[in-house]
Amino acid sequence: MPEAQPHKGRGGHAYGRRVQQLSNTAEEGELCIYTGHSLGRFSTHSMRYDSHQACVRCVAGAREGRMSFDISKLLKKNRVKALKFWSQVDIGDPDECWDWNGCVNKRTKQPQFAWRRHGISSSTQHHPQRVAMWFTWGDLGFSGVKSTCGNKYCCNPFHLIPQNVGVFVDHDSYLESFELACELHTLKQQIAEYMVQEAVKEQEKLVKAEGIQEREHLTLNPNSMFDERFEAVMVDMLAGRHISQTKPQSPGLFELPEDHETGDDDPTSDF
């Protein structure tokens, strides 16, 4: 996979150090995305190598050739992120390329996945191959990753090899592994359920937006009758969804969904 060259100046981008060898010293860092890798039961930190911010336990597992598709091994807060990522990947057979169907930077033509990882990188966009490495090989920080197929859009972990970590790779055993086949089958089912849930949420947002627009038209229309306005307000109050009940501190009568973005053609957007 073609990657950008490391920054030559001092204090360059963290990914510029991915070509260096993994250090032998570790320090207390951000919590690993996998369960059981914290310093203690209630600790919010994990031990990470200071050169690449790779989790010590994940590095040990990768060096033994352990790879997994089981998202139950992730922390609960990261499982939805994993499902969101894999839902944008065209998962096929283990020996095929899994093309990235998500966001592609219009300027650089590079695929990218939005994820803010505090303590690991200041960047909010990551290459999908690195994210696929995090969700299968382990939380290896900003270690480099190369694809054996040469396809920069391929997110198949069977085609990805973490760099400068000393990962043991045995492709034949991975392709014939019954455990990995079961985990991959389970992952596909979880992705299908996740996509159905997301579709239901989007439909609910559309219904909510339509209801808001209907209420706005009914209230602001000078031709609407008083009894119609009174009935609409009473129905909302009895259902507990009137603006005075949901957000009593809000001065506005109507509002759009939270993810609504005002278009550039709105002349009042700057006032």
Side-chain angles (χ1 to χ4, degrees):
M1 137 185 137
E3 297 191 33
Q5 294 297 324
H7 195 278
K8 302 299 182 182
R10 295 182 59 185
H13 199 283
Y15 288 152
R17 286 178 279 167
R18 67 187 181 274
V19 296
Q20 299 178 0
Q21 292 297 324
L22 193 69
S23 65
N24 294 325
T25 57
E27 61 184 5
E28 185 176 327
E30 291 296 318
L31 183 64
C32 179
I33 63 176
Y34 287 86
T35 59
H37 289 191
S38 60
L39 295 177
R41 182 177 180 181
F42 302 104
S43 177
T44 58
H45 296 83
S46 299
M47 293 302 296
R48 294 180 177 272
Y49 288 103
D50 56 2
S51 61
H52 292 70
Q53 290 300 311
C55 175
V56 173
R57 297 191 181 185
C58 289
V59 170
R63 286 174 173 172
E64 295 177 1
R66 284 182 283 174
M67 182 177 65
S68 175
F69 292 96
D70 188 4
I71 65 172
S72 63
K73 297 181 180 179
L74 300 170
L75 298 177
K76 289 185 178 180
K77 64 179 181 179
N78 294 315
R79 295 174 186 175
V80 176
K81 180 70 70 173
L83 290 175
K84 181 179 180 180
F85 171 77
W86 289 118
S87 64
Q88 302 179 54
V89 177
D90 185 13
I91 301 178
D93 295 333
D95 57 344
E96 297 177 346
C97 285
W98 300 357
D99 290 331
W100 171 251
N101 296 327
C103 178
V104 177
N105 191 294
K106 296 181 180 179
R107 181 177 60 85
T108 62
K109 305 302 181 181
Q110 292 290 332
Q112 58 188 23
F113 179 74
W115 189 3
R116 184 181 294 276
R117 299 207 60 191
H118 298 284
I120 303 299
S121 173
S122 59
S123 175
T124 59
Q125 303 292 333
H126 306 279
H127 200 289
Q129 291 183 343
R130 179 170 283 106
V131 180
M133 175 187 68
W134 288 340
F135 286 141
T136 53
W137 285 104
D139 190 358
L140 303 181
F142 45 84
S143 302
V145 57
K146 296 292 184 180
S147 62
T148 58
C149 59
N151 181 8
K152 69 178 180 180
Y153 298 101
C154 176
C155 299
N156 186 351
F158 298 108
H159 293 179
L160 303 179
I161 301 178
Q163 301 295 295
N164 302 317
V165 178
V167 176
F168 173 78
V169 179
D170 187 0
H171 289 288
D172 293 336
S173 63
Y174 294 148
L175 296 177
E176 298 174 359
S177 174
F178 179 74
E179 181 180 1
L180 288 178
C182 293
E183 292 179 356
L184 185 57
H185 179 72
T186 303
L187 178 62
K188 292 180 179 179
Q189 291 180 333
Q190 293 171 332
I191 293 173
E193 296 174 358
Y194 168 78
M195 295 182 69
V196 171
Q197 294 176 358
E198 290 298 311
V200 171
K201 291 180 181 179
E202 290 297 327
Q203 185 64 28
E204 292 177 351
K205 289 181 181 180
L206 292 177
V207 173
K208 181 180 179 181
E210 291 177 357
I212 293 175
Q213 292 178 357
E214 290 178 0
R215 290 291 187 271
E216 180 181 3
H217 177 72
L218 179 63
T219 305
L220 301 180
N221 186 8
N223 297 325
S224 60
M225 304 300 293
F226 174 78
D227 57 343
E228 295 178 350
R229 300 183 185 180
F230 180 78
E231 180 183 359
V233 172
M234 292 303 299
V235 169
D236 288 343
M237 294 187 69
L238 292 175
R241 60 172 181 262
H242 192 262
I243 187 64
S244 62
Q245 297 170 307
T246 57
K247 292 185 178 181
Q249 304 300 329
S250 178
L253 294 177
F254 304 96
E255 57 182 20
L256 293 175
E258 295 179 356
D259 60 345
H260 177 78
E261 296 180 359
T262 305
D264 296 335
D265 55 345
D266 187 358
T268 64
S269 60
D270 296 332
F271 299 93

